[in-house]
Structures are given as C-alpha cells and as structure tokens.
Amino acid sequence: MISQMLLDARRYEEEAGGRIADRERPGFHLCARTGWMNDPNGFCFFGGRYHMFYQYYPYRSTWDSMHWGHAASSDLLHWEYLPAALAPDRFYDQDGVFSGSAIGLDDGRMLLMYTGVLLEGGNSRPKNELQTQCLAVGDGINFEKWPGNPVLDRNSLPAGASVHDFRDPKMFRLPDGGFACIAASRSEDTSGQILLYTSPDGFSWKYETVLASCRNRFGKMWECPDFFPLDGKQVLLVSPQDMLPQDLEYHSGNGTLCLIGSYDEEHFDFREEHNQAIDYGIDFYAPQTVLTPDGRRVMIGWMQNWDACAIREPEAAWAGQMSLPRELHIRDGRLYQAPIREFNLLRKNPVRFANVAVGSERMYLSGIEGRMIDMEISVRPKDPSSSYTKFVIRFAEEGEQYTSVRFRPHESTLKIDRKFSGSRRAILHQRRCLVEDAREELRLRIILDRFSCEVFIDGGRKVMTSTLYTDQSAKKISFEADGEVLMDITKYDIVP
Ligand code: FRU
C-alpha cells in the first residue's frame, strides 16, 4: 500500500519538477527533480538499468523531512526521473528516511535498506534522534516497508555505540551468496566506527564486528560508508564530520576519506595501509559506488557539501546535484578517478591548440569557451631551464565574474576559486590541494556543466569539484601566466 504521504510527494514532484525548464538544470549531471537533494542512495544496477535514489525533500530547496527521490539510467549519463520511492510514513521513520543502499534479490525483487529516524521525546528538548536500519522491498519502482522493521536497532550495537548515530547502511553480496552490510556508528570515544552485519537472506541480520575505527584521527562521526575490492586491494570510503585540517590533504568540517588496505574476507578483517581524501574541491560528499556489469567500480558523490550549502539561494527551484560518474582505480597505492569512459561519447566539435605561449596578458583563444565543455590541458615552462610562478585559467567569465583554477609550481598547489562567481554569500569559495611533480608538466582535465566544474588532475590522481551558479551568459575562458609557459589544449563541447 502506497501511503498518502508518498502519493502527495509523487503528485507534487511531477507538477513542480515539470515546471523547471531543462536549461535551468545541469546539462549532464543529475539534480533534484524538485526541491532539495543530498546523498546518493541505493545506487545499483537492477533490471538492466542503473538506479539512483537520493536524499530528497521535494517541497522546498532546503533540507527537511527526508524522502528518497529516484532516477534511472541506462548509461549513467542520461537520467529519467522515477516516482519518489520512500516517504517518512511509519512511526519508526517518521522523522526521516535517511541514507541507505539497494540490492537485487535472487527472486528478482529489489531490497532497500535505509536509516529510519525517530525523534525521541517528541517536541520536548533535548531532542535526540533514534536511528535504526529498516528495509523496503519492491519491483524497482514501488516498495513495501518490511513488517519486521526496524531490522537493526539498539540491540544490534556493540557496547558503547550510540543509538543516536547509527546510519547509512550499505549492503553487498558475499561470495557464498549471503548478504553483508556495513553501517556508520559513533563509538564510546565519540568518533566514528564502521559496523559489519551479515544475513543469509537480506532480511534477518546479525552483528559481526567493528570493521574500522576512526579513533579520533579523521574527524568525529563517519557517515555514508562504502566498501569494495579494487585492483587487488580493499577500499573503504567514508565521509567524516567535524574534521580538522591536515596539511592540504584534509580540510575542516565535513570531508571525504578513502582508506585502502587488505581484507581477510573470512574473518572480516580490514587492515588499513593508506589514507587520502577522495575529492579535494569544495563540493563533494557521501559518495556511493556501483559495480557495472562489465566489472568497473563507478562512484557518484553528492556534488555539494554541508558547510557551503548557502551557495544556493533558498528560493531556487532545485538544490543539490550529483557528480559525474567516476571510474575508480588504484595506482601506486592511491585512488585514481576518471569520468566513465562513455562520457567521451558526448564530446563533440574538438578545438585544438598546441604550444600556445601564455604570458602575463590574459589570453583568449578562438573557439575556447562555453559552459558545457570538457578541456584537456597540458602546461609546461617555455624554457625547461627557467620556471614560472603562476598559471591561471579563468572560466565562466564575463565582466567581473569568473571562477579560476590556479597553479603555483613553487608551492606545488592548485587552487580552485569561485569567489567572483557571483555568489553573494560569505561562505567557503576557495580550496587548495597539493599537486606534486607538475613543475615540468601540469595535466588537467576540466569538465564544466552549467552549474559545476570538476577538475581531474594528473590523470585523475586528484580531483577538485565545485559548484558555481554564475549566469549562463558568462562563457569566456582565459589563460594567464607569470613567466612564460607553453600550453596544449583540446576543448570539446558536451552534447548530451
Ligand atoms: C550525510 C547524511 C547522512 C544521513 C543523511 C540525512 O550527508 O548526514 O549521514 O543519512 O545525510 O539526510
């Protein structure tokens, strides 16, 4: 039975979503059908298509009582909106259906596991969220909440774990055909830990172990875990809250963390060997991955982050976009990301320049402009024995407005800066990351959509993602350097 609350949301989103013109949405990124979107949820391949659910409040473009929105795609690039999948319509999830995952069952149904939120103590203070894990099962469009909900609650927690911070279950299949899920939890030491559960059928779950612990090293509570094998290693992705900065690797606030290590499947024993940020830009959080039918691990993140949400005006018809789908690999012990290869099929009308001398005058190249484009750029000092101190690309530029990417070889830093992008809010607009070994050659791939830029550095060794809401008439792109550099550039229009 579909609840009135979900029917209302479905009716509303169809009407309100239909009022948003295509040109007011990103050209090739998924955004909220209407209203608010945060984390990707239930990212899976099911019935021949990819499904993406998302944290959703259809009625306004600010976070509120969480629903699950839904879209599907056959290529991860063209998305079709489907009716909202879940509403907070049961007593145990009446204050929000929070993040979770989806998996195909052997009988052909789709199983969702999500966090149900119930505010303890009603309207009295202090309010505390009781977070439990719940199931819904269905045909990929309509879902019935499981009568046995919640399936994981306070009785499923190890000693000292908080009942208030227990969320974001991510399910996966075990080699023996069984099911496992990991969930984020707050431990006694007040920081995050990842719990692991198993189930023979996806419905009855048993606590196994603590898979990984923050121990106050990387922020406090960890959110939205994902866990998968990749290129002979095992990867744990989490999104920590309340981080402190560490050099230019981690910044304060909500961040992203990738732990790479080894995994003994039989004993659920994960040994961490390497840690790094997932994305070094401003707007990226809570990524989820899917395994494609041809065996690629593809990640999509929420292309926004909590502390900088005010970049979007509250009266906007939609808020929240997903990143490009990114293929993941491990090279030299690090996580590498590249836009999925199918994205290259959208690249049209190449414009190429080789060995262009860039100097202290802002330079514009004919045919190099636009807001839905992909650019591959390589930069080197003109005279290999000399050097340069700065190289800047400005894009989405018109008059006083632009967003820039700036490389300083002496510091080995790349900075993304949207201070002049038209934002009127006093929020974070800049971020830097370290780019080692780029003095001789800096390699960038910059993908712009109407409201975002994703900068893949050095073949995807690092990525910086940022949203920008500059008027679409700002299309120019300019180049500038202190000291002479030579640049090769290929620019494509993206024609979705
Ligand atoms: C992460 C998060 C999740 C939670 C959801 C609520 O962005 O805080 O931990 O499930 O958002 O919308």
Side-chain angles (χ1 to χ4, degrees):
M1 257 278 288
I2 301 176
S3 68
Q4 193 56 45
M5 189 187 265
L6 186 57
L7 282 175
D8 289 347
R10 287 179 169 188
R11 196 171 309 123
Y12 182 83
E13 66 178 359
E14 197 171 330
E15 192 191 297
R19 283 200 299 265
I20 306 174
D22 281 351
R23 62 171 194 289
E24 292 165 28
R25 297 181 184 273
F28 49 94
H29 289 79
L30 179 65
C31 71
R33 184 169 185 179
T34 176
W36 169 268
M37 160 195 276
N38 59 287
D39 316 354
N41 292 162
F43 189 19
C44 65
F45 185 79
F46 175 87
R49 289 206 290 180
Y50 296 95
H51 289 256
M52 174 60 85
F53 302 85
Y54 52 90
Q55 289 287 279
Y56 185 37
Y57 185 66
Y59 303 108
R60 247 198 330 269
S61 60
T62 46
W63 190 91
D64 210 308
S65 169
M66 280 292 105
H67 295 54
W68 274 32
H70 189 187
S73 168
S74 53
D75 61 2
L76 292 168
L77 295 168
H78 301 87
W79 293 94
E80 177 199 346
Y81 288 115
L82 294 173
L86 299 175
D89 51 15
R90 296 296 145 92
F91 72 92
Y92 50 82
D93 63 17
Q94 65 186 23
D95 294 299
V97 291
F98 277 17
S99 286
S101 55
I103 207 161
L105 294 171
D106 295 336
D107 64 9
R109 292 179 301 166
M110 191 196 281
L111 182 67
L112 309 181
M113 192 192 277
Y114 66 93
T115 301
V117 176
L118 176 63
L119 286 175
E120 276 182 322
N123 282 328
S124 63
R125 302 228 169 233
K127 281 187 184 173
N128 264 323
E129 285 183 2
L130 194 65
Q131 302 190 333
T132 58
Q133 316 320 317
C134 306
L135 299 174
V137 63
D139 59 3
I141 304 280
N142 296 308
F143 298 88
E144 290 283 344
K145 289 182 180 170
W146 182 241
N149 281 344
V151 291
L152 294 173
D153 61 10
R154 63 172 73 234
N155 301 314
S156 327
L157 290 168
S162 161
V163 296
H164 307 301
D165 284 303
F166 176 34
R167 58 181 174 272
D168 309 340
K170 169 80 197 217
M171 294 182 285
F172 51 97
R173 297 299 289 261
L174 292 169
D176 67 1
F179 296 76
C181 105
I182 55 169
S185 152
R186 193 188 291 271
S187 83
E188 241 162 351
D189 71 9
T190 72
S191 74
Q193 60 184 356
I194 302 302
L195 307 178
L196 187 139
Y197 299 84
T198 58
S199 165
D201 54 7
F203 293 88
S204 63
W205 291 88
K206 169 172 162 259
Y207 170 72
E208 296 286 351
T209 189
V210 176
L211 183 71
S213 303
C214 173
R215 291 193 203 87
N216 282 293
R217 295 170 302 157
F218 305 106
K220 287 285 178 186
M221 176 62 185
W222 283 358
E223 302 189 303
C224 301
D226 200 345
F227 190 57
F228 48 88
L230 185 66
D231 297 336
K233 292 282 175 193
Q234 188 74 19
V235 176
L236 176 65
L237 305 179
V238 294
S239 294
Q241 296 178 312
D242 304 307
M243 288 195 99
L244 287 172
Q246 288 177 33
D247 299 323
L248 292 181
E249 187 63 30
Y250 300 107
H251 55 74
S252 51
N254 286 78
T256 54
L257 171 67
C258 168
L259 298 174
I260 300 177
S262 64
Y263 186 49
D264 172 354
E265 241 168 24
E266 208 177 312
H267 302 100
F268 307 118
D269 185 14
F270 175 63
R271 296 273 161 96
E272 209 183 292
E273 290 160 6
H274 165 79
N275 69 77
Q276 64 170 99
I278 304 172
D279 193 284
Y280 296 80
I282 301 171
D283 296 303
F284 192 87
Y285 196 66
Q288 262 195 6
T289 69
V290 75
L291 190 64
T292 63
D294 62 359
R296 290 177 286 162
R297 183 58 63 173
V298 173
M299 173 180 79
I300 291 184
W302 178 39
M303 196 158 55
Q304 191 159 301
N305 205 336
W306 291 108
D307 289 338
C309 283
I311 188 78
R312 201 69 176 126
E313 300 295 333
E315 57 278 3
W318 60 265
Q321 313 172 57
M322 294 300 172
S323 74
L324 270 185
R326 303 175 183 175
E327 276 179 47
L328 302 183
H329 277 291
I330 293 178
R331 266 181 240 142
D332 316 324
R334 284 187 60 89
L335 186 74
Y336 272 71
Q337 303 172 42
I340 50 158
R341 55 195 77 159
E342 290 84 346
F343 180 71
N344 292 355
L345 300 172
L346 310 184
R347 307 207 291 189
K348 300 279 148 63
N349 317 322
V351 179
R352 276 197 190 95
F353 292 88
N355 289 313
V356 186
V358 182
S360 57
E361 277 287 272
R362 256 192 226 191
M363 189 179 76
Y364 299 84
L365 294 168
S366 102
I368 306 276
E369 60 164 35
R371 288 290 286 277
M372 280 169 56
I373 59 169
D374 185 353
M375 292 189 281
E376 289 179 20
I377 298 170
S378 147
V379 172
R380 54 200 175 276
K382 188 166 183 187
D383 170 0
S385 62
S386 74
S387 165
Y388 63 102
T389 55
K390 190 173 84 177
F391 171 76
V392 191
I393 305 171
R394 293 182 177 79
F395 47 87
E397 180 189 314
E398 187 57 63
E400 302 293 292
Q401 296 196 349
Y402 63 83
T403 293
S404 66
V405 170
R406 168 184 316 187
F407 180 59
R408 289 186 190 276
H410 297 290
E411 294 174 353
S412 300
T413 58
L414 193 80
K415 177 157 118 184
I416 189 156
D417 188 347
R418 64 174 179 194
K419 187 166 59 181
F420 299 105
S421 68
S423 166
R424 292 172 193 274
R425 302 277 76 83
I427 55 165
L428 185 85
H429 286 124
Q430 306 173 331
R431 190 153 274 150
R432 288 185 302 155
C433 83
L434 266 188
V435 179
E436 304 92 347
D437 305 327
R439 284 182 204 189
E440 280 165 29
E441 190 192 10
L442 170 71
R443 290 192 305 137
L444 301 175
R445 179 171 177 188
I446 302 179
I447 298 175
L448 304 185
D449 195 349
R450 291 190 180 107
F451 309 105
S452 63
C453 70
E454 287 163 282
V455 181
F456 296 82
I457 307 158
D458 193 16
R461 188 177 164 83
K462 290 190 175 170
V463 189
M464 297 184 95
T465 302
S466 177
T467 57
L468 49 125
Y469 293 94
T470 317
D471 192 89
Q472 296 304 308
S473 59
K475 283 193 172 78
K476 288 186 195 150
I477 297 175
S478 67
F479 306 90
E480 189 188 322
D482 273 359
E484 280 215 314
V485 306
L486 292 179
M487 174 178 78
D488 298 338
I489 179 167
T490 307
K491 171 239 151 187
Y492 304 87
D493 293 327
I494 298 302
V495 183

